């Protein structure tokens, strides 16, 4: 499996508070957690906004099984052509993990077809509740864990009904949020996970790293990526099509 960790890497360059928490960038912290938990059979690489084609060249995208996405202050700086390429790859089967403020990225809103808006507030304790303990993304996680310093994200979260809801979060002010959501888009899988504010060391927390690693394994394609389009089928085609593995019965 090959995972590409995409990050804006803007806050880390411009804000001293973020530099102190993530001196090597959030993208490298996320990548380190994936390498630690997924092991040597997984290739983990990074890409950032300031690279040519935002680091998402055809060569990179075509060899990526799972793409993680963290964005915030640079959503409008992402070229529409790159969004179209990522969208196409998801429909072909590439997994996509959207993190924290990536909820408002061009690619997530395009895949969801909604505004993806929410309410927010700084500085609050977050409890992440596992509401589907049998799901692969919840493997190895407790029924509830705490993120000591976080940013509150609250409902209404303008997203389509998730195909699967794995986590919900609650906050000190009484708010709740659908913080771990899964969708299928074309042949690809999409997972959104909300904890990850840039001024807090959330991506060093073991439970957070476990969620992202589990999500990468869940989202990885199980068959070759690609879409056949709309081939014409003649009567009886299914009886002789060798790709289906069916046998004609007398």
């Amino acid at each position: 499996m090959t995972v590409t960790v995409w990050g804006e890497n803007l806050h880390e360059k411009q804000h001293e508070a973020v530099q102190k928490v993530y001196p090597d960038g959030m993208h490298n912290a996320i990548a380190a957690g994936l390498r630690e938990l997924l092991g040597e059979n997984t290739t983990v690489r990074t890409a950032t906004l300031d690279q040519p084609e935002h680091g998402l060249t055809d060569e990179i995208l075509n060899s990526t099984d799972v793409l993680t996405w963290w964005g915030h202050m640079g959503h409008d700086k992402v070229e529409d052509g790159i969004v179209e390429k990522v969208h196409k790859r998801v429909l072909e089967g590439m997994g996509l993990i959207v993190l924290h403020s990536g909820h408002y990225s061009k690619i997530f809103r395009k895949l969801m077809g909604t505004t993806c808006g929410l309410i927010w507030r700084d500085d609050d304790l977050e409890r992440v509740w596992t509401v589907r303990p049998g799901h692969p993304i919840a493997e190895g996680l407790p029924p509830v864990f705490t993120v000591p310093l976080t940013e509150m994200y609250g409902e209404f979260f303008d997203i389509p009904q998730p195909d699967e809801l794995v986590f919900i979060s609650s906050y000190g002010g009484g708010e709740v949020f659908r913080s771990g959501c899964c969708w299928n888009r074309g042949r690809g899988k999409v997972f959104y996970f909300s904890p990850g504010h840039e001024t807090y060391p959330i991506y060093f927390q073991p439970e957070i790293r476990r969620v992202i690693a589990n999500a990468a394994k869940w989202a990885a394609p199980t068959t070759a990526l690609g879409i056949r389009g709309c081939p014409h089928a003649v009567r009886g085609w299914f009886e002789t099509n060798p790709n289906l593995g069916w046998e004609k019965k007398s």
Side-chain angles (χ1 to χ4, degrees), residues 107-126:
I107 182 58
F108 190 62
R109 287 186 289 154
K110 183 176 179 64
L111 285 163
M112 296 297 105
T114 58
T115 70
C116 300
L118 46 78
I119 64 171
W120 63 275
R121 184 184 67 252
D122 284 329
D123 301 325
D124 206 342
L125 180 144
E126 178 178 1

Side-chain angles (χ1 to χ4, degrees), residues 11-213:
H11 284 287
E12 299 93 322
K13 292 181 176 180
Q14 300 180 27
H15 300 145
E16 184 178 355
V18 180
Q19 293 169 2
K20 290 180 178 179
V21 179
Y22 294 103
D24 297 321
M26 278 178 283
H27 54 291
N28 281 316
I30 294 166
L34 288 168
R35 292 188 185 103
E36 173 190 346
L37 293 172
L38 296 179
E40 60 184 14
N41 291 328
T42 299
T43 298
V44 181
R45 59 197 177 190
T46 63
T48 55
L49 181 69
D50 60 351
Q51 295 175 330
E53 299 185 60
H54 307 325
L56 300 175
T57 63
D58 289 342
E59 181 181 1
I60 292 295
L61 280 177
N62 290 339
S63 60
T64 295
D65 297 306
V66 178
L67 176 67
T68 76
W69 192 280
W70 195 103
H72 185 204
M73 61 188 296
H75 292 320
D76 61 337
K77 293 178 170 52
V78 178
E79 297 176 9
D80 292 341
I82 301 299
V83 176
E84 291 294 331
K85 291 199 300 183
V86 174
H87 182 264
K88 179 176 180 290
R89 287 298 286 166
V90 172
L91 298 185
E92 291 174 344
M94 182 184 73
L96 178 67
I97 302 170
V98 178
L99 300 170
H100 191 56
S101 47
H103 73 89
Y104 214 60
S105 62
K106 290 181 178 180
I107 182 58
F108 190 62
R109 287 186 289 154
K110 183 176 179 64
L111 285 163
M112 296 297 105
T114 58
T115 70
C116 300
L118 46 78
I119 64 171
W120 63 275
R121 184 184 67 252
D122 284 329
D123 301 325
D124 206 342
L125 180 144
E126 178 178 1
R127 291 182 175 88
V128 182
W129 301 83
T130 302
V131 296
R132 191 159 186 180
H135 196 279
I137 297 178
E139 182 180 355
L141 290 160
V144 59
F145 64 88
T146 298
V147 182
L149 294 172
T150 189
E151 180 180 44
M152 186 281 291
Y153 276 5
E155 300 288 347
F156 173 62
F157 187 18
D158 187 16
I159 53 174
Q161 182 71 18
D163 295 330
E164 299 173 301
L165 181 62
V166 185
F167 305 107
I168 61 171
S169 290
S170 60
Y171 301 87
E175 300 90 354
V176 295
F177 188 70
R178 290 168 289 171
S179 55
C181 306
C182 303
W183 296 268
N184 292 283
R185 290 292 183 266
R187 297 179 66 179
K189 296 178 180 178
V190 179
F191 178 63
Y192 172 74
F193 189 54
S194 64
H197 190 57
E198 64 273 7
T199 58
Y200 305 123
I202 295 172
Y203 290 121
F204 296 112
Q205 185 169 336
E207 295 92 343
I208 302 298
R209 288 186 161 190
R210 172 60 63 186
V211 170
I212 298 172

